[in-house]
Short mmCIF file of all heavy atoms in Angstrom, two decimals:
data_model
loop_
_atom_site.label_atom_id
_atom_site.label_comp_id
_atom_site.label_asym_id
_atom_site.label_seq_id
_atom_site.Cartn_x
_atom_site.Cartn_y
_atom_site.Cartn_z
N VAL A 1036 -9.90 -19.73 15.58
CA VAL A 1036 -11.32 -19.87 15.86
C VAL A 1036 -11.52 -20.86 16.98
O VAL A 1036 -12.31 -20.62 17.94
CB VAL A 1036 -12.07 -20.36 14.59
CG1 VAL A 1036 -13.50 -20.77 14.91
CG2 VAL A 1036 -12.09 -19.24 13.53
N ARG A 1037 -10.84 -21.98 16.96
CA ARG A 1037 -10.93 -22.98 18.01
C ARG A 1037 -10.55 -22.42 19.38
O ARG A 1037 -11.16 -22.77 20.38
CB ARG A 1037 -10.07 -24.19 17.70
CG ARG A 1037 -10.64 -25.06 16.62
CD ARG A 1037 -9.78 -26.27 16.42
NE ARG A 1037 -10.33 -27.06 15.29
CZ ARG A 1037 -9.59 -27.81 14.51
NH1 ARG A 1037 -8.25 -27.90 14.68
NH2 ARG A 1037 -10.16 -28.50 13.52
N SER A 1038 -9.51 -21.62 19.41
CA SER A 1038 -9.02 -21.13 20.72
C SER A 1038 -9.69 -19.80 21.13
O SER A 1038 -9.45 -19.33 22.22
CB SER A 1038 -7.51 -20.90 20.66
OG SER A 1038 -7.19 -19.85 19.77
N GLY A 1039 -10.52 -19.24 20.28
CA GLY A 1039 -11.19 -17.98 20.59
C GLY A 1039 -10.25 -16.76 20.51
O GLY A 1039 -10.55 -15.71 21.08
N ASP A 1040 -9.17 -16.89 19.79
CA ASP A 1040 -8.17 -15.82 19.62
C ASP A 1040 -8.63 -14.86 18.52
O ASP A 1040 -8.29 -15.05 17.34
CB ASP A 1040 -6.81 -16.41 19.35
CG ASP A 1040 -5.74 -15.37 19.15
OD1 ASP A 1040 -5.99 -14.17 19.31
OD2 ASP A 1040 -4.60 -15.80 18.80
N ALA A 1041 -9.35 -13.82 18.88
CA ALA A 1041 -9.88 -12.88 17.87
C ALA A 1041 -8.77 -12.12 17.18
O ALA A 1041 -8.83 -11.96 15.96
CB ALA A 1041 -10.86 -11.89 18.53
N ALA A 1042 -7.77 -11.67 17.91
CA ALA A 1042 -6.68 -10.92 17.25
C ALA A 1042 -5.90 -11.83 16.30
O ALA A 1042 -5.53 -11.39 15.20
CB ALA A 1042 -5.74 -10.37 18.33
N GLY A 1043 -5.70 -13.07 16.70
CA GLY A 1043 -5.00 -14.03 15.81
C GLY A 1043 -5.82 -14.32 14.57
O GLY A 1043 -5.28 -14.45 13.50
N LYS A 1044 -7.14 -14.40 14.73
CA LYS A 1044 -8.00 -14.65 13.59
C LYS A 1044 -7.93 -13.50 12.60
O LYS A 1044 -7.83 -13.70 11.39
CB LYS A 1044 -9.45 -14.89 14.04
CG LYS A 1044 -10.41 -15.23 12.91
CD LYS A 1044 -11.81 -15.50 13.43
CE LYS A 1044 -12.74 -15.84 12.33
NZ LYS A 1044 -14.13 -16.04 12.77
N VAL A 1045 -7.91 -12.27 13.13
CA VAL A 1045 -7.82 -11.08 12.25
C VAL A 1045 -6.50 -11.12 11.51
O VAL A 1045 -6.45 -10.91 10.30
CB VAL A 1045 -7.96 -9.78 13.08
CG1 VAL A 1045 -7.57 -8.58 12.23
CG2 VAL A 1045 -9.38 -9.64 13.62
N ALA A 1046 -5.41 -11.44 12.22
CA ALA A 1046 -4.08 -11.46 11.60
C ALA A 1046 -4.03 -12.54 10.51
O ALA A 1046 -3.50 -12.33 9.40
CB ALA A 1046 -3.01 -11.71 12.64
N ALA A 1047 -4.62 -13.70 10.81
CA ALA A 1047 -4.63 -14.79 9.84
C ALA A 1047 -5.47 -14.46 8.62
O ALA A 1047 -5.08 -14.73 7.46
CB ALA A 1047 -5.11 -16.07 10.49
N LEU A 1048 -6.66 -13.87 8.82
CA LEU A 1048 -7.49 -13.47 7.71
C LEU A 1048 -6.80 -12.41 6.85
O LEU A 1048 -6.88 -12.46 5.59
CB LEU A 1048 -8.84 -12.94 8.22
CG LEU A 1048 -9.83 -14.01 8.70
CD1 LEU A 1048 -11.01 -13.31 9.43
CD2 LEU A 1048 -10.35 -14.85 7.56
N HIS A 1049 -6.11 -11.48 7.50
CA HIS A 1049 -5.38 -10.45 6.77
C HIS A 1049 -4.25 -11.09 5.95
O HIS A 1049 -4.09 -10.76 4.77
CB HIS A 1049 -4.83 -9.41 7.73
CG HIS A 1049 -4.21 -8.25 7.05
ND1 HIS A 1049 -3.25 -7.49 7.62
CD2 HIS A 1049 -4.43 -7.67 5.83
CE1 HIS A 1049 -2.88 -6.52 6.80
NE2 HIS A 1049 -3.61 -6.60 5.70
N ALA A 1050 -3.54 -12.02 6.54
CA ALA A 1050 -2.44 -12.70 5.81
C ALA A 1050 -3.05 -13.47 4.60
O ALA A 1050 -2.50 -13.48 3.50
CB ALA A 1050 -1.72 -13.67 6.74
N PHE A 1051 -4.18 -14.10 4.86
CA PHE A 1051 -4.86 -14.85 3.85
C PHE A 1051 -5.27 -13.92 2.68
O PHE A 1051 -5.12 -14.23 1.48
CB PHE A 1051 -6.09 -15.50 4.47
CG PHE A 1051 -6.58 -16.78 3.85
CD1 PHE A 1051 -5.81 -17.54 3.00
CD2 PHE A 1051 -7.86 -17.22 4.13
CE1 PHE A 1051 -6.29 -18.71 2.46
CE2 PHE A 1051 -8.35 -18.41 3.59
CZ PHE A 1051 -7.57 -19.15 2.75
N ALA A 1052 -5.80 -12.75 3.00
CA ALA A 1052 -6.17 -11.76 2.00
C ALA A 1052 -4.98 -11.31 1.17
O ALA A 1052 -5.04 -11.20 -0.04
CB ALA A 1052 -6.84 -10.57 2.67
N LYS A 1053 -3.82 -11.11 1.86
CA LYS A 1053 -2.64 -10.67 1.15
C LYS A 1053 -2.11 -11.77 0.21
O LYS A 1053 -1.60 -11.47 -0.88
CB LYS A 1053 -1.56 -10.24 2.16
CG LYS A 1053 -1.92 -8.89 2.83
CD LYS A 1053 -1.11 -8.59 4.04
CE LYS A 1053 0.24 -8.15 3.67
NZ LYS A 1053 0.98 -7.64 4.86
N VAL A 1054 -2.22 -13.06 0.62
CA VAL A 1054 -1.82 -14.13 -0.26
C VAL A 1054 -2.69 -14.14 -1.49
O VAL A 1054 -2.18 -14.26 -2.62
CB VAL A 1054 -1.86 -15.50 0.48
CG1 VAL A 1054 -1.70 -16.65 -0.50
CG2 VAL A 1054 -0.78 -15.55 1.55
N HIS A 1055 -3.99 -14.00 -1.32
CA HIS A 1055 -4.89 -13.98 -2.48
C HIS A 1055 -4.61 -12.80 -3.35
O HIS A 1055 -4.65 -12.89 -4.59
CB HIS A 1055 -6.35 -13.96 -2.02
CG HIS A 1055 -6.89 -15.29 -1.67
ND1 HIS A 1055 -7.14 -16.29 -2.62
CD2 HIS A 1055 -7.17 -15.84 -0.49
CE1 HIS A 1055 -7.58 -17.36 -2.02
NE2 HIS A 1055 -7.62 -17.11 -0.70
N MET A 1056 -4.27 -11.63 -2.78
CA MET A 1056 -3.89 -10.45 -3.56
C MET A 1056 -2.66 -10.73 -4.40
O MET A 1056 -2.62 -10.42 -5.61
CB MET A 1056 -3.67 -9.22 -2.68
CG MET A 1056 -3.47 -7.94 -3.47
SD MET A 1056 -3.43 -6.47 -2.45
CE MET A 1056 -1.96 -6.70 -1.50
N ALA A 1057 -1.66 -11.34 -3.79
CA ALA A 1057 -0.44 -11.69 -4.53
C ALA A 1057 -0.69 -12.64 -5.64
O ALA A 1057 0.03 -12.61 -6.66
CB ALA A 1057 0.61 -12.25 -3.54
N LYS A 1058 -1.65 -13.51 -5.50
CA LYS A 1058 -2.02 -14.47 -6.55
C LYS A 1058 -2.99 -13.87 -7.54
O LYS A 1058 -3.51 -14.60 -8.41
CB LYS A 1058 -2.61 -15.72 -5.90
CG LYS A 1058 -1.61 -16.53 -5.07
CD LYS A 1058 -2.26 -17.74 -4.45
CE LYS A 1058 -2.63 -18.71 -5.52
NZ LYS A 1058 -3.20 -19.97 -5.04
N CYS A 1059 -3.31 -12.58 -7.43
CA CYS A 1059 -4.26 -11.89 -8.27
C CYS A 1059 -5.68 -12.47 -8.20
O CYS A 1059 -6.46 -12.37 -9.12
CB CYS A 1059 -3.80 -11.85 -9.73
SG CYS A 1059 -2.31 -10.88 -9.95
N GLU A 1060 -5.99 -13.06 -7.03
CA GLU A 1060 -7.35 -13.53 -6.75
C GLU A 1060 -8.01 -12.42 -5.93
O GLU A 1060 -8.21 -12.51 -4.73
CB GLU A 1060 -7.30 -14.86 -5.96
CG GLU A 1060 -6.64 -15.95 -6.79
CD GLU A 1060 -6.28 -17.18 -5.98
OE1 GLU A 1060 -6.32 -17.15 -4.75
OE2 GLU A 1060 -5.97 -18.19 -6.63
N LEU A 1061 -8.33 -11.34 -6.67
CA LEU A 1061 -8.72 -10.10 -6.02
C LEU A 1061 -10.05 -10.14 -5.30
O LEU A 1061 -10.19 -9.52 -4.25
CB LEU A 1061 -8.68 -8.95 -7.06
CG LEU A 1061 -7.28 -8.79 -7.71
CD1 LEU A 1061 -7.38 -7.74 -8.80
CD2 LEU A 1061 -6.23 -8.42 -6.68
N LEU A 1062 -11.02 -10.79 -5.86
CA LEU A 1062 -12.33 -10.85 -5.19
C LEU A 1062 -12.22 -11.63 -3.88
O LEU A 1062 -12.83 -11.24 -2.85
CB LEU A 1062 -13.38 -11.42 -6.11
CG LEU A 1062 -13.70 -10.56 -7.36
CD1 LEU A 1062 -14.69 -11.28 -8.26
CD2 LEU A 1062 -14.17 -9.19 -6.95
N ASP A 1063 -11.42 -12.71 -3.87
CA ASP A 1063 -11.19 -13.45 -2.65
C ASP A 1063 -10.45 -12.57 -1.63
O ASP A 1063 -10.75 -12.56 -0.45
CB ASP A 1063 -10.38 -14.74 -2.93
CG ASP A 1063 -11.20 -15.76 -3.69
OD1 ASP A 1063 -12.43 -15.76 -3.60
OD2 ASP A 1063 -10.57 -16.59 -4.39
N ALA A 1064 -9.46 -11.85 -2.12
CA ALA A 1064 -8.69 -10.97 -1.24
C ALA A 1064 -9.59 -9.89 -0.63
O ALA A 1064 -9.49 -9.64 0.62
CB ALA A 1064 -7.56 -10.28 -2.02
N MET A 1065 -10.50 -9.34 -1.38
CA MET A 1065 -11.42 -8.34 -0.89
C MET A 1065 -12.34 -8.93 0.15
O MET A 1065 -12.53 -8.34 1.24
CB MET A 1065 -12.24 -7.73 -2.04
CG MET A 1065 -13.19 -6.65 -1.63
SD MET A 1065 -12.40 -5.17 -0.96
CE MET A 1065 -11.82 -4.41 -2.46
N GLU A 1066 -12.87 -10.10 -0.13
CA GLU A 1066 -13.82 -10.75 0.81
C GLU A 1066 -13.10 -11.04 2.14
O GLU A 1066 -13.67 -10.78 3.21
CB GLU A 1066 -14.31 -12.06 0.17
CG GLU A 1066 -15.28 -12.79 1.08
CD GLU A 1066 -15.77 -14.12 0.49
OE1 GLU A 1066 -15.59 -14.33 -0.73
OE2 GLU A 1066 -16.27 -14.93 1.30
#
Side-chain angles (χ1 to χ4, degrees):
V1036 169
R1037 284 183 185 150
S1038 68
D1040 178 6
K1044 184 177 179 184
V1045 169
L1048 286 168
H1049 187 206
F1051 208 17
K1053 289 167 75 171
V1054 169
H1055 279 289
M1056 185 172 67
K1058 292 179 69 177
C1059 295
E1060 296 168 349
L1061 301 175
L1062 295 176
D1063 290 335
M1065 182 64 76
E1066 180 183 343

